[in-house]
């Protein structure tokens, strides 16, 4: 398998960090925008899209700030995806920071997918 490249994206978003954290860290929140359905049992999260399923393990979380998952298919690799809430100390502007990995020829497609997902999140939050 080709080595995946790390990429980061930033999306300004008009929502309180506390509200945003509910949408990035809970199965019910994630199923509003990230996947059609999300189930969790402990640290194991199952994401369902159009009948296909992917499982990920919750590997880190900091309340109100960030959540980090590792897809089980990448279990032996150093890859993960992280959704982080960043608040500018001066302006108090809120952004969502995405860190993810994709194969070189799939980076643009992966970024577009995140843009669509975050657009869905903004719709749900009413901040589109």
């Amino acid at each position: 398998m080709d080595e995946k490249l790390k990429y980061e994206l930033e999306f300004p978003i008009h929502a309180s960090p506390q509200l945003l954290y509910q949408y990035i860290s809970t199965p019910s929140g994630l199923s509003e925008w990230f996947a059609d359905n999300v189930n969790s049992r402990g640290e194991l999260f199952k994401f369902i899209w159009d009948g296909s399923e992917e499982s990920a393990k919750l590997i880190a979380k900091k309340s109100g700030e960030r959540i980090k998952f590792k897809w089980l298919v990448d279990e032996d690799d150093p890859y993960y995806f992280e959704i982080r809430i960043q608040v500018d100390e001066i302006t108090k502007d809120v952004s969502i920071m995405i860190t993810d990995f994709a194969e070189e020829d799939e980076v643009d497609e992966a970024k577009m997918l995140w843009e669509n997902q975050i657009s869905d999140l903004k719709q749900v939050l009413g901040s589109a």
Side-chain angles (χ1 to χ4, degrees), residues 58-111:
L58 174 64
I59 54 173
K61 83 189 236 182
K62 186 168 182 187
S63 188
E65 202 172 291
R66 64 190 166 94
I67 188 151
K68 188 188 268 190
F69 290 101
K70 182 181 215 39
W71 294 114
L72 293 189
V73 294
D74 290 333
E75 199 157 27
D76 299 330
D77 298 312
Y79 311 125
Y80 61 88
F81 72 97
E82 181 180 62
I83 306 170
R84 198 169 79 245
I85 300 166
Q86 183 171 293
V87 180
D88 185 291
E89 286 183 22
I90 297 165
T91 64
K92 300 296 179 213
D93 287 344
V94 178
S95 293
I96 284 197
M97 309 295 290
I98 304 292
T99 304
D100 201 355
F101 294 82
E103 293 184 19
E104 193 170 359
D105 60 345
E106 295 175 356
V107 170
D108 289 341
E109 190 179 319
K111 286 181 178 180

Side-chain angles (χ1 to χ4, degrees), residues 15-29:
S16 75
Q18 296 78 11
L19 177 66
L20 216 42
Y21 188 72
Q22 295 304 309
Y23 280 97
I24 69 168
S25 65
T26 64
S28 61

Side-chain angles (χ1 to χ4, degrees), residues 38-58:
V38 181
N39 301 311
S40 73
R41 186 171 290 142
E43 295 178 337
L44 209 59
F45 281 66
K46 189 179 287 180
F47 298 91
I48 301 160
W49 293 273
D50 294 330
S52 75
E53 274 181 21
E54 288 284 338
S55 293
K57 186 176 182 184
L58 174 64

Side-chain angles (χ1 to χ4, degrees), residues 27 30-38 47-52 117:
L30 286 162
S31 59
E32 294 257 349
W33 65 278
F34 186 74
D36 297 337
N37 197 2
V38 181
F47 298 91
I48 301 160
W49 293 273
D50 294 330
S52 75
Q117 304 287 70

